[in-house]
Each structure stands twice: as structure tokens, then as C-alpha cells.
Amino acid sequence: MANRSYEDLLEPRRNDFNIWLWSTRALNTQVAVKMRPRPNPDDHKLAVLNSLKISEIIEQIGAKSNMDRKAIERQLMLILDEVGYTKSLKVIRYLSYILSKLLLKVCSGVYVNYQGLLKIKSTMGNCPVIFVPSHRSYADFVIFSYVFFHYDIEIPAIAAGMDFQGMTGVGEMLRNTGAFFMRRSYGDDSLYWAAFKEYVHQLVCKGDLPVEFFIEGTRSRSNKSMVPKYGLINMILKSYFLSQVPDILFVPVSVNYDRLIEENLFSFELLGIPKPRESTSGFFRSWKLVKESFGSIYFHFGDPISTREFFEDKFDRSKHSLGPIHLHEINEEEKRLIPHLAYEIVRRQQISSVVSYFNLIALILNNNITRGQEFTGMEELAQEIRILRGTFRCWGATIFEQDIHSAIKDSLKVHQNLITVGENGKIGLVTNQISMGAVDARKLKGHSLSEATISYSVPFMMLQIYANPVLHYFIDGALIVVALRSTGRLNEDDLFKHFRNLRAIFSFEFVLLETWYKTYFEEALHRLSSQKIIARRNEQYEIFENNYFEEVLISSIQPFILSYYVVAEILQTLPEVVEEKLVLASAQKLLEEAISERKIFIHPYAMSLDTLGNCLSTLVRMGAAVKRRREGRVMLSINRESIGGLKSDLETYLPSFQVIKSFDIFVHIKSKL
Ligand SMILES: CCCCCCCCCCCCCCCC(=O)SCCNC(=O)CCNC(=O)[C@H](O)C(C)(C)COP(=O)(O)OP(=O)(O)OC[C@H]1O[C@@H](n2cnc3c(N)ncnc32)[C@H](O)[C@@H]1OP(=O)(O)O
Ligand SMILES: O=C(CO)COP(=O)(O)O
């Protein structure tokens, strides 16, 4: 495989006679901020304990609860021990050895755009550096640290969810490699959150390690980007807004996999079967995966975003110069700026992703399935990959240069659990009869799907998981094509109105900030025109007929439109105040019935809880529903009229999809209601 911008960091290990010598080599690591003496992990905890901010909070809690100061301080120390990282070079060296052996066994390469990373390394030393990778797998943070160890960069302090704390031995091991632990949601424990925020503040202002966190907050089960969470980035940026550091560099990192270790679990989770709790025994059970092959992993380190340059003159830091600094918090004006940076990080993760050949194969097979065509043979597949590869590259994607036939062979070998080649040379999906055993119905997140549905659906879910990570390259083009298909011809202004509406409907599905809609629309128009998918005649845009890429655009978005339509439809029949879980379950139930009749093909991904949930988030953002927590349950109050509007919008776009017979699907779904 060739791409000169990337190097395979397993390559030198393959020829190492003694990996242990490499693991125990003398290290001369680059820190984020040069400091003498270097702070140690306990310094940060003590600094929190002694900070004026925390001192005041202790006083407030004492006054409210009548607890004495010493008792609150003891509570605080327990919190800090729960949160704080420790670091053991010995543990890191052992892990680097084990990981080398493991990666050599299961991966064909770990590719890194080393020039990008080395450039960042050379600029480190003067201000806090925050690495923000995409989050698709548990492997992300493990291999991330391995990459840093390889390039002699200090392993970052990493924000970790509490999920790992319960794993005997593993939690402490992660802590020893730099993990600091956080609760997953803002509760009402004011001491905890004050201590945690102050701890992060200390890491950023007084620490010398790079910091790493996952802005999406969780592994994306769909394998595509998720909307950013603002909590941790808020805490980090506070140091900048309050002028306590001159700048903060955010480095977006894209991590892509030929094959995800979690592909099976994620497919189940998308259907509603909850993830097993993280446990040490589960960790050891997962070792059976070492017998399998996972292809290559790609790390792309994007250009750092300087906070100072990003915000330029958008706000006035001098507002924080009056009064004691520990009394200052981020103000509303600053808070409003944060989503722009957060979305920019996600956008840069997306544009620096590496597209694998299996991503293309998944798109092609999905297109065949959706159009009700037979699966393709090898020659057709190679031809279609060639077309898609060319188009994707024109649209800015990085795809490694490789002979297409050997790329297909490698991909099918890595994904032999999902794809099979029949005696007739045609490609097909592997289906296994799945037995769910006793799944606790109370833990299900959606409808209790039958084993037959699950067995049928899992391979399709897996396939879509590999098509999803490339959708951001052409979602804007797909939405334009959808609008033109449903209307025939449109001038640019009207086409933009449709585009803006569709973009807003799918704003959680395909992450994009509203202020960028116009730019993305214009870029997509240009790309579609230069690829001869659409044409402009007499000031009107229309579609060129018989363009293969147009088919792919339309088929790739179809399961999403279907899910949204079903939610809108079902909300017309459910009570106006309804539990969120019931909406998800009802939508899945309806789709399950339609799928199991097999009269027409309905892509099982339409049952994805991720997509159905995104639709509900859209409804809340649009004001068509209000979300409230009541006695531990999430309730939705529905505005039927607004939802009716969304439903009729979706209907406008759908019936004219002659090519994919969507109309049949909708008539069919309706008849089930
Ligand atoms: C060789 C060596 C080998 C070594 C080998 C081993 C290495 C091994 C290392 C181990 C390493 C483990 C690594 C594990 C990796 C994870 O565990 S990843 C998971 C944990 N990390 C994270 O979650 C980080 C990101 N998460 C966050 O930042 C979340 O915000 C928090 C802090 C968790 C809070 O979450 P939350 O309560 O769900 O709240 P969130 O949605 O963020 O927002 C709160 C509200 O404030 C609003 N808000 C806040 N700020 C804003 C704003 N600026 N503008 C608008 N709204 C705002 C939000 O909209 C939201 O409002 P509502 O939607 O509730 O109305
Ligand atoms: O995000 C995590 C750390 O990788 C673990 O939590 P999830 O299972 O929600 O992804």
C-alpha cells in the first residue's frame, strides 16, 4: 500500500529482534509546556485543594450543611484520588511491549501522517496542547498512546469515563498511563464538579503534559461523527478566556480502521441490545479476537487550531481583569463562541479521515441492495470501486494507492466474517443464526426484536457501519440531488432553501454548523456540476440522467430518510406526552413488521437507535418536541402540528425517488399503521 505521507510504525517493529530493547530504550520525550521543575501528578491534586475557588466552595458547603471544614476536605481528597492520573513509566514500557506483539499479530499496519505529527511535536513546548481524536473504538486511546511512545512525545493526560473504574486492575492500569476519570453527566454534586473543573484547570494551566479528550464523549456506534459535547472543552477554554494561558492549541485527530473490533457489538447496540458492562472478565474474553485479522489503522494528525487565532478579536478578554480571578467564570458571550470551535474540530477530524477500500465496497453493496439488484461480481466491483475512488479523491478524500484487485482481495479477507464470495463469483453477506439467550427486556433500549430479525439485520447494520464514515464527503451533494429529484428543476435560491431545510432536519445525523450551510451548498453544487451529476440550464439546476454516482448518493441517504419519516408518522399516533423509549420502540416495531414481510426491501439500518434518536434530537431542536426528565424517565411533549410539517417535508422529497421505489416503501409503511 502506498501513500508517502503516511508511515507504518509497525514496520520497524517487524524487523526488531528485540522489541523489549525498544520498549526499554532511553526516552527523551517532548512535553506540551516546558517547566522546571516538572510538576508531578500529586502537585495537581494539592493545587486543587489549596485553590481559592475550592476554598470558597468548601466554606459554602460547610455553611449549608454544618459539616466541618476538615471533613469536607477529606471528602475532597477522596474525589481527587478518584479523578487524578498517576503515571508509571514501568507500566507504559510493559504495555508498549505487549501492544507491539499484539498489533503485529492482528494488524497489517498502523499508519501515521508522521510529518503532521512531527511538525506538531516541533511546535510543542510553549502553551497547552490538547489532542482531540475521533472516537470509534476502545483501540483509539490505546494505540494513540502507543503512537506517542513511538515518536517520543509525552503520553497525554486522558479524560476517561468512569466505566473503566469498576474493572479490577484495568482501571488502575489506565490511570498509570495517564487516564484521569470523570463522571459521565453533570449531576448535582457541587463539590465533585467544582473539584473536577479545578483539576482540569490545573492540568491546562500548570501541567506540562499534553491533554487528550474525546469531544464526541462516547464511541460513535454508527462509525460517523457525532455532535460535539461542550462540557470538557468549556473547562479547558476557561484558562484561555481568563487570560491564564497565552494560547491553547487544539489538534484534531482522525482515527480510522479497516475493521473495528467492536463491529458486532455496535450492530447489536444500534438495534437496542445494550453493551455489556465493562469488566475484567469481559476484557479477557475479548482476547479471543487476537486470532482474527483487522487490517490497518490510520491516524491523521490535523493542523493545530490556535485558540488565539480562531477567536481573534471576537471577544474582549480584559473583561476578566477586574476583581479576584477565582471569582470569574466564562461569560455568556464566550460560551456562545465555544460551539464554533467544537464543530470546527469535528469538521477537521472528518476532512482528514482516511477512506479504506472496504468503505467503498460497503457503499457499493449497499447501493445494490437498496436498488433491489443482485450482488455484484468481482469485475463489476472493481469497476465501481474505480469510479468511486476517482470521485472521492476529487472530493478531497485520502485513499491509499493500491491495485484495486489486490485491495478487494485484502478487504474481503479482513471482512470474511461479513462478506462471502459464492461459487458463481458473486459477493454476498454472511448471515448467522443469532441466539440472544435471556436478554433482560428492561435493559433493552428499543423494541424487543425477534431473533430472526436480529439475525437478518446484523450483517446489514455492519455493512452500513462501514459505509457511514464516508457519508460526510457527499452528504451535501446527496441532499441537493434529493431536492432536485423531488422537484425536477430549481433555480439556485430555491434549491438552497430545500438544502437548508434538509440540512437542518439532518443536523444531528450529519454534523454541520448552521453558519456553514451556504459554503457547503456552493461547494457541493460545484462538485456535482464538475462531476456531471447536475447541470445548469437557463438559470435552473437539473439532474443528468443515468449517472452511477447519483444512484449511490440517493441510496446512501435512504435509510436515514426512512427512519425520520417513520418517527414523524408514529408520533401522529402516540399520546402527546410520551416516553422517549416508547417512541423508539414503536418505530422499530413498525419497521420490523415491514421488514419481516419481505415484500419490498427495507434496509434494517432504518431501525438504528442512533438514527431514530438523532431524529428526536432534531425535533427538540426545532421546537417540535420538548424533552423532560420525570422520575428517571425521559419524556417528550409533542407538538403534533410541527411534526406534521416535518412529515410532509419528508414526503415531498420521497415520492419522486422513482429509482429506489421509495414510494412503495412509504405506502407499505403507512398500511401498517
Ligand atoms: C505505549 C503506551 C500504551 C498505553 C496504552 C493505554 C493508554 C490508555 C489510556 C486510558 C485512557 C482511557 C480513555 C477513555 C476514553 C473515554 O472514556 S471517552 C468518555 C469520557 N470523555 C468525555 O466524555 C469527554 C467529553 N464529554 C464532555 O465534555 C461532557 O460534556 C461531560 C463533561 C462528560 C458532561 O456531559 P453531559 O452532562 O452529558 O453534558 P453536555 O452534553 O456536555 O452539556 C451539558 C449542557 O450544557 C450545554 N452547554 C455547555 N456549554 C455550552 C456552550 N458553550 N454552548 C452551548 N451549550 C453549552 C449543553 O448543550 C448541555 O445542555 P443540555 O443539552 O443538557 O440542555
Ligand atoms: O467512551 C468510552 C470510552 O472509550 C466508553 O464509553 P462508551 O461505551 O459510551 O463508548
Side-chain angles (χ1 to χ4, degrees):
M1 256 206 280
N3 189 313
R4 269 178 281 134
S5 319
Y6 293 77
E7 73 179 0
D8 175 11
L9 55 79
L10 291 186
E11 196 52 42
R13 299 292 85 71
R14 277 194 196 98
N15 307 320
D16 253 359
F17 294 115
N18 197 337
I19 293 176
W20 185 241
L21 275 184
W22 171 77
S23 291
T24 53
R25 74 193 191 275
L27 293 172
N28 178 17
T29 49
Q30 176 66 51
V31 289
V33 188
K34 287 191 184 115
M35 289 181 184
R36 285 280 171 265
R38 288 192 61 186
N40 72 45
D42 284 338
D43 292 342
H44 299 310
K45 294 185 197 168
L46 279 177
V48 174
L49 189 67
N50 296 327
S51 73
L52 287 171
K53 175 117 207 148
I54 292 296
S55 181
E56 279 197 359
I57 288 180
I58 292 177
E59 248 163 57
Q60 284 163 14
I61 294 177
K64 247 196 231 157
S65 65
N66 270 339
M67 266 168 90
D68 77 47
R69 192 177 176 93
K70 282 273 165 262
I72 305 174
E73 280 181 0
R74 273 198 299 280
Q75 220 174 314
L76 181 66
M77 275 322 285
L78 289 177
I79 292 175
L80 289 171
D81 285 340
E82 175 193 295
V83 170
Y85 78 89
T86 52
K87 219 170 191 189
S88 157
L89 192 54
K90 209 152 90 186
V91 173
I92 291 172
R93 288 189 189 283
Y94 271 117
L95 286 174
S96 73
Y97 176 79
I98 296 168
L99 271 170
S100 298
K101 293 277 186 191
L102 196 65
L103 289 170
L104 285 169
K105 194 156 168 40
V106 300
C107 289
S108 43
V110 174
Y111 290 92
V112 179
N113 69 325
Y114 62 103
Q115 286 153 336
L117 181 57
L118 294 179
K119 198 166 129 205
I120 294 159
K121 183 180 173 186
S122 69
T123 56
M124 283 166 75
N126 303 314
C127 71
V129 185
I130 318 290
F131 288 88
V132 197
S134 55
H135 201 12
R136 305 288 173 265
S137 167
Y138 280 150
D140 297 336
F141 49 79
V142 178
I143 305 173
F144 196 99
S145 294
Y146 184 80
V147 170
F148 273 35
F149 184 78
H150 177 94
Y151 288 106
D152 274 1
I153 304 174
E154 271 293 325
I155 289 179
I158 312 173
M162 295 293 284
D163 320 45
F164 303 100
Q165 277 282 48
M167 297 170 72
T168 324
V170 178
E172 280 319 294
M173 182 181 78
L174 298 183
R175 195 190 290 283
N176 270 318
T177 54
F180 62 97
F181 291 89
M182 69 195 294
R183 295 187 188 161
R184 281 309 192 97
S185 61
Y186 288 122
D188 49 11
D189 186 342
S190 58
L191 184 63
Y192 175 84
W193 280 105
F196 184 81
K197 284 178 186 174
E198 191 56 32
Y199 183 80
V200 172
H201 186 62
Q202 291 296 332
L203 285 186
V204 176
C205 292
K206 304 277 161 52
D208 68 346
L209 297 183
V211 174
E212 175 187 342
F213 80 103
F214 293 97
I215 199 158
E216 296 160 296
T218 181
R219 291 165 298 161
S220 165
R221 273 50 176 176
S222 64
N223 206 8
K224 60 186 172 54
S225 302
M226 296 168 70
V227 289
K229 293 212 170 247
Y230 300 136
L232 207 61
I233 193 169
N234 265 354
M235 294 175 214
I236 292 169
L237 282 171
K238 184 179 158 191
S239 315
Y240 176 74
F241 288 132
L242 270 53
S243 298
Q244 293 180 311
V245 288
D247 195 3
I248 300 179
L249 297 181
F250 286 91
V251 183
V253 187
S254 187
V255 190
N256 300 99
Y257 297 85
D258 275 350
R259 182 180 164 205
L260 282 168
I261 38 175
E262 291 100 331
E263 57 178 13
N264 227 343
L265 279 179
F266 284 175
S267 303
F268 281 101
E269 278 193 61
L270 289 172
L271 290 170
I273 296 108
K275 73 166 182 176
R277 233 175 85 96
E278 280 76 7
S279 66
T280 315
S281 56
F283 174 72
F284 285 112
R285 266 200 307 279
S286 64
W287 276 83
K288 66 173 189 287
L289 291 172
V290 299
K291 294 196 195 105
E292 300 191 21
S293 156
F294 289 86
S296 294
I297 302 169
Y298 312 87
F299 279 77
H300 186 103
F301 290 81
D303 288 335
I305 305 172
S306 149
T307 306
R308 187 166 38 81
E309 285 169 21
F310 188 83
F311 290 133
E312 261 183 330
D313 49 359
K314 290 199 184 70
F315 69 98
D316 176 12
R317 281 208 285 179
S318 67
K319 282 193 181 142
H320 291 294
S321 58
L322 297 174
I325 195 69
H326 73 277
L327 296 179
H328 284 249
E329 285 297 336
I330 296 187
N331 61 38
E332 285 308 311
E333 185 195 351
E334 290 155 352
K335 223 174 175 183
R336 271 195 297 277
L337 294 173
I338 292 174
H340 293 265
L341 178 58
Y343 271 77
E344 176 63 14
I345 292 171
V346 175
R347 190 185 76 85
R348 295 213 198 174
Q349 288 173 349
Q350 289 183 328
I351 55 174
S352 53
S353 60
V354 174
V355 173
S356 78
Y357 281 85
F358 194 68
N359 293 141
L360 304 184
I361 294 174
L363 270 183
I364 293 165
L365 297 187
N366 249 341
N367 183 40
N368 284 333
I369 300 165
T370 312
R371 296 168 59 79
Q373 288 172 346
E374 247 200 85
F375 273 141
T376 176
M378 285 301 173
E379 268 319 307
E380 292 155 273
L381 183 63
Q383 213 172 332
E384 290 176 27
I385 289 180
R386 200 164 289 117
I387 299 173
L388 287 191
R389 184 173 70 177
T391 313
F392 270 105
R393 281 185 176 153
C394 280
W395 289 28
T398 302
I399 305 176
F400 281 19
E401 192 52 54
Q402 191 182 1
D403 166 68
I404 289 184
H405 287 94
S406 76
I408 296 177
K409 205 168 129 228
D410 291 350
S411 297
L412 297 191
K413 196 165 163 222
V414 168
H415 292 276
Q416 55 185 291
N417 59 324
L418 176 62
I419 305 285
T420 152
V421 183
E423 278 168 14
N424 57 1
K426 299 260 182 209
I427 293 169
L429 288 182
V430 176
T431 341
N432 292 313
Q433 188 52 46
I434 293 166
S435 161
M436 293 306 299
V439 177
D440 184 349
R442 284 165 308 176
K443 289 197 181 143
L444 290 175
K445 295 199 175 142
H447 176 57
S448 173
L449 300 172
S450 72
E451 284 187 351
T453 305
I454 293 173
S455 306
Y456 169 74
S457 305
V458 164
F460 291 103
M461 304 302 282
M462 260 156 73
L463 198 61
Q464 185 73 38
I465 280 178
Y466 290 104
N468 278 344
V470 294
L471 296 188
H472 66 267
Y473 283 107
F474 59 64
I475 181 61
D476 301 300
L479 297 180
I480 290 174
V481 167
V482 162
L484 286 175
R485 268 278 162 230
S486 60
T487 50
R489 324 171 79 219
L490 285 172
N491 68 33
E492 191 167 328
D493 286 347
D494 289 337
L495 185 53
F496 179 63
K497 280 185 198 142
H498 282 274
F499 174 83
R500 196 176 50 200
N501 190 24
L502 280 162
R503 249 303 179 187
I505 292 173
F506 292 111
S507 60
F508 282 86
E509 206 63 61
F510 304 105
V511 182
L512 190 71
L513 208 57
E514 200 180 333
T515 46
W516 296 334
Y517 286 1
K518 189 76 185 168
T519 316
Y520 274 63
F521 169 72
E522 283 165 1
E523 270 176 21
L525 266 191
H526 175 73
R527 286 169 171 179
L528 291 172
S529 306
S530 59
Q531 295 286 318
K532 301 223 171 341
I533 297 168
I534 60 169
R536 186 181 161 134
R537 290 193 194 101
N538 306 325
E539 303 293 304
Q540 303 265 312
Y541 283 96
E542 60 187 39
I543 293 178
F544 272 113
E545 291 307 321
N546 301 324
N547 185 306
Y548 171 68
F549 202 70
E550 186 222 338
E551 282 175 14
V552 177
L553 291 177
I554 290 187
S555 65
S556 63
I557 192 168
Q558 197 207 351
F560 300 96
I561 299 187
L562 182 56
S563 297
Y564 279 54
Y565 177 82
V566 168
V567 171
E569 185 71 67
I570 215 140
L571 284 173
Q572 306 289 325
T573 62
L574 290 171
E576 280 185 12
V577 178
V578 59
E579 190 175 359
E580 184 182 62
K581 192 174 162 182
L582 179 65
V583 182
L584 300 174
S586 308
Q588 278 195 324
K589 181 167 180 279
L590 179 67
L591 284 160
E592 177 180 37
E593 282 168 17
I595 287 169
S596 55
E597 281 184 15
R598 308 272 159 89
K599 279 197 183 146
I600 46 164
F601 176 77
I602 293 176
H603 200 302
Y605 193 80
M607 291 191 290
S608 152
L609 288 183
D610 184 66
T611 304
L612 298 169
N614 283 337
C615 176
L616 294 181
S617 302
T618 294
L619 296 180
V620 171
R621 182 182 278 178
M622 286 177 160
V626 177
K627 209 181 233 192
R628 283 196 195 88
R629 278 186 191 279
R630 199 192 291 161
E631 293 154 12
R633 298 189 310 164
V634 180
M635 305 300 292
L636 292 168
S637 306
I638 304 300
N639 177 337
R640 287 239 172 90
E641 211 181 306
S642 314
I643 289 179
L646 171 76
K647 198 184 115 209
S648 60
D649 278 354
L650 288 170
E651 262 169 3
T652 345
Y653 298 121
L654 284 153
S656 57
F657 275 20
Q658 300 105 342
V659 280
I660 54 166
K661 302 192 196 123
S662 294
F663 191 55
D664 289 352
I665 294 177
F666 284 80
V667 171
H668 187 69
I669 294 277
K670 271 188 161 166
S671 71
K672 304 250 101 210
L673 282 162

